[in-house]
Amino acid sequence: MDKFLIEGNGPLSGEVEASGAKNAALPILCASLLIDDELRLSNVPALHDVITTKKLLAQMGVAVSSPGPGLFAANASGITTCVAPYELVKTMRASILVLGPLLAKRGHAEVSLPGGCAIGARPVDLHLMGLKAMGAEISLEGGFINARASRLKGARIYFDTVTVTGTENLLMAAVLADGETVLENAAREPEIVDLANCLTAMGAKISGAGTGTIVIQGVRDLHGADHRVIPDRIEGGTFLVAAAITRGKVRLTRTDPNALDPVLVKLQQAGAKVSTGEDWIEVDMQGRRPTSVNLHTMAHPGFPTDMQAQFMALDCYAEGVGTIRETIFENRFMHAQELLRLGADIRIEGNTAIVTGREKLKGAPVMATDLRASAALVLAAIAAEGTTKIDRVYHIDRGYEHIETKLGALGARIERVRQ
């Protein structure tokens, strides 16, 4: 099991490119199941979750290829099974995203209940509720979701709770349904918009993506298309926070500044000078210690839960006291216990963390508990005195493309130790 050895050092500086967005790439990969034609993608990140998704598609009989770095092609015309087995699904919750496309195109899907990061309950009941409203017959047997439908019917579906994967699953199901489907209280993330843009390029009729109401006019068939995956706003935000924690100056390129508005506002509150261009963002702390920030995670366009852990790491080094309220996942403060091992001052009260900043933390052995928690530990370790050993870094490989190489190019002393 790989580990990171990180030696704390001075400010990070330099330029780093954003990778393709994991949370956009995964549903778009699953959208290849909607056609008997080739879907060609670019800017696909080299991540463990992407590899798992490719394996899952190939196991179903999809012809999968990667003709070059960041390139992906899939053709599901020769699909042989509509079963997504536990062995692949258990490691990645996004595997549930094959359910809607399989049911819409093939009339049948048998998908294992998903796994993924242990950051709290993320039930799939809203996915199933929506598919039932569209006429699917669904049963749960032996840990599998078994769904059948001759052809899905358009329906008006209201989400009691905003759900990103639920919105994506039902969006993909609806594009081949008979009639009009309206998704109300839909998720509004940029990754939803990217999926809708890809589906539109494939011949789907979608309006309202990026708003709380998405309207889909079902069509009989879709076709092949070319699509470029959007930049990863969470990866990009992580590098910008790394600049702030180390009192450095980092320029993020090939990104979309508009997608990072909530993060940039908090970095400005922390004392950073933030500059932006058409496809770049620069954060310059001008050698100053950051100021503590308060934040409250919310569904998009609010502050993203996937950046909460990174800002907790920032508050650990900041001047003052920061209050972090997590409202999306009830078990997403597990990184706090590991940050305490570095000497952080964090008090947890229910879904709120109160962080009193310290001038310095000290390196220590720590363990990553989930994807974003591992990023927070890396950020904290970069600025700590001495050496930090981070175990179970396979979590970070699920969502960050060659993070040690990218941070190393900015001046971080980080080494992957393979065992």
Side-chain angles (χ1 to χ4, degrees), residues 199-230:
L199 293 171
T200 299
M202 296 161 65
K205 298 179 179 179
I206 302 167
S207 61
T211 75
T213 301
I214 303 176
V215 180
I216 307 103
Q217 303 292 339
V219 298
R220 174 60 69 174
D221 292 296
L222 300 177
H223 52 73
D226 295 274
H227 181 76
R228 180 177 176 83
V229 175
I230 61 171

Side-chain angles (χ1 to χ4, degrees), residues 96-365:
I96 192 67
L97 290 169
V98 302
L99 178 60
L102 283 174
L103 186 58
K105 178 64 176 177
R106 312 294 167 180
H108 172 232
E110 191 173 340
V111 181
S112 174
L113 289 167
C117 285
I119 58 175
R122 295 187 284 180
V124 298
D125 56 327
L126 294 178
H127 304 232
L128 306 187
M129 173 274 295
L131 292 174
K132 286 179 180 178
M134 298 171 73
E137 296 180 0
I138 296 176
S139 60
L140 299 178
E141 302 171 3
F144 278 79
I145 301 165
N146 197 316
R148 292 185 178 275
S150 56
R151 187 183 180 192
L152 294 173
K153 305 292 184 182
R156 181 173 292 271
I157 299 166
Y158 177 80
F159 295 107
D160 290 334
T161 304
V162 176
T163 165
V164 174
T165 54
T167 300
E168 291 166 341
N169 230 342
L170 296 183
L171 174 59
M172 288 189 283
V175 294
L176 292 180
D178 182 15
E180 180 181 89
T181 298
V182 180
L183 304 180
E184 296 184 290
N185 198 29
R188 299 162 62 183
E189 274 74 1
E191 294 79 14
I192 300 283
V193 177
D194 201 33
L195 172 62
N197 288 341
C198 180
L199 293 171
T200 299
M202 296 161 65
K205 298 179 179 179
I206 302 167
S207 61
T211 75
T213 301
I214 303 176
V215 180
I216 307 103
Q217 303 292 339
V219 298
R220 174 60 69 174
D221 292 296
L222 300 177
H223 52 73
D226 295 274
H227 181 76
R228 180 177 176 83
V229 175
I230 61 171
D232 195 315
R233 60 195 172 102
I234 304 303
E235 182 212 40
T238 300
F239 291 130
L240 298 177
V241 173
I245 286 179
T246 62
R247 311 185 189 188
K249 179 180 179 181
V250 169
R251 176 171 288 208
L252 177 69
T253 61
R254 297 183 67 182
T255 190
D256 178 6
N258 295 323
L260 277 161
D261 278 344
V263 171
L264 300 186
V265 167
K266 290 301 174 183
L267 286 169
Q268 288 174 321
Q269 291 176 7
K273 178 184 177 183
V274 177
S275 306
T276 62
E278 184 177 352
D279 63 352
W280 59 267
I281 304 167
E282 185 174 272
V283 165
D284 185 359
M285 287 302 296
Q286 299 175 316
R288 297 191 300 264
R289 182 184 179 190
T291 301
S292 293
V293 296
N294 301 322
L295 61 89
H296 177 175
T297 64
M298 298 176 66
H300 191 81
F303 188 89
T305 181
D306 280 354
M307 285 299 303
Q308 175 259 108
Q310 298 90 314
F311 270 84
M312 183 181 289
L314 183 146
D315 275 351
C316 287
Y317 284 99
E319 185 174 355
V321 178
T323 300
I324 298 173
R325 187 177 176 212
E326 173 60 57
T327 67
I328 307 298
F329 296 122
E330 74 278 7
N331 198 26
R332 206 168 199 179
F333 283 153
M334 290 188 290
H335 47 279
Q337 295 301 316
E338 300 302 307
L339 290 170
L340 290 174
R341 293 178 54 80
L342 301 178
D345 185 346
I346 305 169
R347 187 172 80 255
I348 305 296
E349 296 181 359
N351 69 339
T352 302
I354 299 96
V355 186
T356 301
R358 293 190 167 174
E359 184 77 25
K360 285 290 184 182
L361 303 184
K362 293 186 180 295

